[in-house]
């Protein structure tokens, strides 16, 4: 299908694996140019190698918790691609799990620095670049179903993801004046390297009775990143196979 | 051509959002049963004629049980299958709550809630017998937030929101996905009066971050996505397509509205895949 992404210049944070990598694949398949970023150069390079056959792809190392790193990433992406049409703000960490009653402040701060603060800085820098270049760009933030229903022992993660919903709505109303659209995709349990063991344990919270595939989340991200949905902004697309609609229910 | 070889039903298909959905689905290869109110029979004929041999029309009251039944049996008879349903028909008789006649309230529920349920239930029964299917209901930003002067409509659209969520759980085991789209302001026959009136429209547009109403085609684009295999892991979701209306509000007119360096992209005219 034509998502209106041909020749779009896209930055995907957390693009070396999982949902970010799948998004990069779909963007390339739609004819876009993609720059992936990941924390470690050592994980960027193999991802670049796997994506190379799909189309023009670049890579950068960037620690989202370092403001200077993020500023450099966006400025470098703008220079190397000649502008930025799309930011997929996907990177995030799971953090160290513990009940909030016992969670060390350092664990909380570490997660917030990457997932919430880092995402804000990336969005700010990317939207400033879009404005400067007169580009009616698109930002897609990757949230989580845990923004709607909390998972135990992940209070920092749940809270940051809920914060991303507020960030999405706020960016949408602030950036609409420049024609920049901002939306969020909230995946449910998705099969990636990090979740495979968990899923094997037989945990299937979704009504569809299975976990999502990274490709299925990427499809929603790329739909919002394209310009075939030109009136959608400030929205959150929940892609969870019917997980949060179930509401509180005893496990079966 | 995401819908080649598939067949579906679109309700409220003679005008506005429903018409745009019908055009989009047909443009992507779907064979369609189009339903519209008896008062729209002439427009419906014109639409089915324009879409050619892969579409037929039924002009009937969507809130009547026999309408859903005959739509299903005729669709099966002609196309042998039902994969898609865009349950879109709705009416919007507005008026201040203290004076709204109960007949308006009942009529709104008859179409927007009862009609929406009857066709979804009938289509899902058929889909569950075969390979499954996908349903999209047209809700509204007014089903998520309050809006003065239209209590019956808002309540009916909130019912649609909850119907989608509940049906998603009942239908998931049967391989049927159901989602909702929640449009804000859309340029249609029903909203033309408000949009064309400069005084009235200036009040409404001041609340829309994107500063304009949607085209029906922009709503249809979201509906087509939700019906397509690209949304294979989406069920029970309500997707706003409202230019930021439900994300929040702006507090001033923008001096950069006409900033020539960055003019918001208009929706591209829809061109079917090659």
């Amino acid at each position: 299908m034509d998502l209106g992404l041909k020749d779009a210049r896209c930055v995907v944070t957390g693009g070396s694996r999982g949902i970010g990598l799948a998004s990069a694949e779909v963007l390339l398949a739609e004819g876009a140019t993609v720059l992936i970023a990941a924390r470690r150069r050592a994980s960027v390079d193999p991802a670049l190698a796997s994506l190379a056959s799909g189309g023009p792809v670049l890579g950068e190392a960037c620690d989202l918790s370092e403001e200077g790193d993020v500023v450099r990433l966006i400025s470098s992406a703008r220079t190397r691609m000649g502008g930025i049409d799309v930011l997929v703000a996907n990177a995030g960490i799971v953090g160290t799990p513990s009940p909030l009653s016992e969670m060390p402040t350092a664990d909380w701060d570490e997660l917030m620095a990457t997932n919430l603060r880092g995402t804000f800085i990336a969005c700010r820098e990317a939207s400033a670049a879009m404005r400067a270049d007169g580009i009616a760009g698109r930002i897609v933030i990757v949230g989580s179903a845990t923004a709607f229903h909390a998972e135990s022992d992940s209070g920092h993660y749940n809270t940051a993801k809920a914060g991303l919903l507020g960030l999405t709505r706020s960016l949408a109303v602030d950036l609409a004046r420049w024609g920049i659209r901002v939306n969020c995709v909230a995946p449910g349990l998705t099969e990636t390297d990090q979740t495979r063991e968990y899923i094997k344990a037989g945990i299937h919270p979704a009504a569809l009775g299975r976990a999502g595939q990274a490709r299925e989340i990427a499809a929603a991200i790329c739909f919002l990143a394209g310009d075939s949905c030109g009136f959608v902004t400030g929205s959150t697309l929940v892609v969870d196979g019917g997980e949060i609609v179930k509401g509180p229910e005893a496990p079966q | 051509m995401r819908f080649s070889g598939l067949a579906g039903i679109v309700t409220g298909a003679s005008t506005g959002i429903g018409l745009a959905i019908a055009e989009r689905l047909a443009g992507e290869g779907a064979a369609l049963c189009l339903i519209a109110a008896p008062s729209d029979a002439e427009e419906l004929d014109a639409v089915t004629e324009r879409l050619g041999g892969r579409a037929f029309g039924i002009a009937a009251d969507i809130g009547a049980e026999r309408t859903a039944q005959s739509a299903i049996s005729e669709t099966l008879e002609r196309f042998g299958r039902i994969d898609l349903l865009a349950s879109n028909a709705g009416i919007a008789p507005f008026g201040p709550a203290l004076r709204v006649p109960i007949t308006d309230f009942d009529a709104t529920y008859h179409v927007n809630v009862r009609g929406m349920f009857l066709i979804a239930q009938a289509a899902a029964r058929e889909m569950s017998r075969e390979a499954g299917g996908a349903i999209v209901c047209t809700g509204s930003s007014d089903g998520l937030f309050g809006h003065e002067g239209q209590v019956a409509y808002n309540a009916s659209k909130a019912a649609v929101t909850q119907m989608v969520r509940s049906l998603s759980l009942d239908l998931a085991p049967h391989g049927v996905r159901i989602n909702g789209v929640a449009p804000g302001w859309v340029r249609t026959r029903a909203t033309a009066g408000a949009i064309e009136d400069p005084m009235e429209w200036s009040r409404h547009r001041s609340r829309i971050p994107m500063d304009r109403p949607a085209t029906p085609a922009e709503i249809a684009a979201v509906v087509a996505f939700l019906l397509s295999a690209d949304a294979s892991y989406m069920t029970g979701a309500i997707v706003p397509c409202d230019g930021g209306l439900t994300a929040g509000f702006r507090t001033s007119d923008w001096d950069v509205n006409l900033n020539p360096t960055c003019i918001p992209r208009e929706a591209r005219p829809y061109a079917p895949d090659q």
Side-chain angles (χ1 to χ4, degrees):
Chain A
M1 70 175 291
D2 183 8
L3 296 172
L5 281 161
K6 181 139 183 51
D7 299 326
R9 296 152 297 183
C10 311
V11 177
V12 180
T13 68
S16 67
R17 59 182 185 178
I19 291 169
L21 182 64
S23 301
E25 283 169 6
V26 177
L27 290 169
L28 289 172
E30 292 286 327
T33 300
V34 178
L35 187 147
I36 59 166
R39 217 171 341 164
R40 282 177 294 274
R41 188 77 228 180
S43 51
V44 173
D45 290 331
L48 279 181
S50 82
L51 290 168
S53 62
V57 60
L58 308 163
E60 300 259 348
C62 170
D63 181 349
L64 218 53
S65 66
E66 296 288 341
E67 181 169 15
D69 254 29
V70 182
V71 171
R72 247 191 319 277
L73 167 73
I74 298 299
S75 134
S76 161
R78 188 179 169 207
T79 310
R80 293 178 74 186
M81 298 193 289
I84 297 172
D85 299 295
V86 170
L87 168 67
V88 177
N90 164 70
I93 59 173
V94 181
T96 311
S98 65
L100 282 171
S101 55
E102 290 153 32
M103 184 175 289
T105 309
D107 288 357
W108 174 276
D109 287 344
E110 180 203 18
L111 187 130
M112 291 295 164
T114 296
N115 292 18
L116 199 49
R117 183 173 177 272
T119 302
F120 155 65
I121 295 169
C123 292
R124 183 188 67 198
E125 294 300 311
S127 61
M130 290 167 182
R131 267 185 74 182
D133 294 336
I135 293 170
R138 287 86 67 188
I139 296 175
V140 183
I141 292 174
V142 179
S144 167
T146 62
F148 300 96
H149 61 189
E151 190 177 336
S152 58
D153 300 338
S154 300
H156 48 2
Y157 185 84
N158 304 335
T159 307
K161 288 297 188 184
L164 291 181
L165 301 186
L167 182 66
T168 300
R169 291 191 281 258
S170 306
L171 286 166
V173 295
D174 280 356
L175 302 181
R177 68 192 81 176
W178 296 294
I180 299 169
R181 296 187 296 103
V182 186
N183 293 288
C184 178
V185 167
L189 181 60
T190 305
E191 196 174 333
T192 63
D193 290 340
Q194 298 99 292
T195 59
R196 204 150 286 134
E197 289 307 311
Y198 186 71
I199 292 168
K200 268 197 203 136
I203 296 157
H204 293 298
L208 290 180
R210 63 178 176 88
Q213 297 298 312
R215 190 95 185 169
E216 294 177 304
I217 314 302
I221 291 170
C222 295
F223 172 65
L224 291 172
D227 64 4
S228 70
C229 60
F231 203 59
V232 182
T233 195
S235 295
T236 294
L237 234 69
V238 180
V239 188
D240 69 348
E243 183 179 320
I244 65 169
V245 284
K246 286 165 88 172
E249 189 178 22
Q252 312 215 322
Chain B
M1 299 286 271
R2 289 180 290 183
F3 305 118
S4 283
L6 303 184
I9 298 171
V10 182
T11 74
S14 63
T15 181
I17 296 171
L19 172 59
I21 295 170
E23 287 172 337
R24 174 101 200 204
L25 299 183
E28 295 204 45
L32 294 177
C33 164
L34 307 180
I35 307 178
S39 55
D40 284 348
E42 270 180 42
E43 287 101 322
L44 183 64
D45 280 347
V47 173
T48 50
E49 197 164 320
R50 197 147 43 80
L51 293 182
R54 298 291 283 162
F56 72 95
I58 297 177
D61 173 12
I62 195 68
E65 270 186 285
R66 63 182 176 282
T67 302
Q69 285 154 7
S70 62
I72 300 299
S73 57
E74 278 198 54
T75 304
L76 288 175
E77 204 170 295
R78 291 196 188 223
F79 306 133
R81 56 191 299 147
I82 297 174
D83 312 277
L84 316 166
L85 167 65
S87 184
N88 164 76
I91 60 169
F94 293 164
L98 298 188
R99 290 203 296 276
V100 76
I102 196 62
T103 47
D104 277 7
F105 195 94
D106 290 343
T108 307
Y109 263 66
H110 181 75
V111 174
N112 297 12
V113 183
R114 190 171 196 265
M116 188 89 48
F117 177 68
L118 284 171
I119 191 73
Q121 185 190 42
R125 274 184 189 144
E126 199 46 49
M127 291 169 177
S128 68
R129 264 196 276 278
E130 300 291 333
I135 298 173
V136 175
C137 296
T138 303
S140 170
S141 54
D142 293 330
L144 305 171
F145 289 86
H147 192 164
E148 67 186 329
Q150 43 185 70
V151 59
Y153 181 78
N154 301 348
S156 76
K157 288 302 185 180
V160 171
T161 301
Q162 201 62 339
M163 197 191 308
V164 165
R165 291 179 180 144
S166 305
L167 281 173
S168 73
L169 301 177
D170 281 0
L171 301 183
H174 301 286
V176 179
R177 297 186 299 105
I178 179 167
N179 294 286
V181 64
W185 280 94
V186 185
R187 194 180 280 277
T188 64
R189 186 173 69 183
T191 59
I195 292 174
E196 300 310 327
D197 177 346
M199 286 301 285
E200 185 176 356
W201 182 240
S202 76
R203 285 202 306 275
H204 298 307
R205 64 172 273 227
S206 71
R207 297 183 48 207
I208 308 171
M210 282 181 69
D211 202 31
R212 64 175 178 89
T215 62
E218 288 177 310
I219 310 302
V222 174
V223 172
F225 168 74
L226 292 172
L227 288 175
S228 78
D230 281 339
S232 55
Y233 201 57
M234 294 188 69
T235 196
I238 305 292
V239 181
C241 179
D242 61 7
L245 183 71
T246 56
F249 52 89
R250 56 183 203 179
T251 49
S252 64
D253 245 338
W254 296 327
D255 54 354
V256 284
N257 262 343
L258 300 173
N259 177 357
T261 63
C262 185
I263 294 168
R265 282 185 191 186
E266 289 301 320
R268 299 194 321 171
Y270 168 64
D273 292 357
Q274 307 310 315

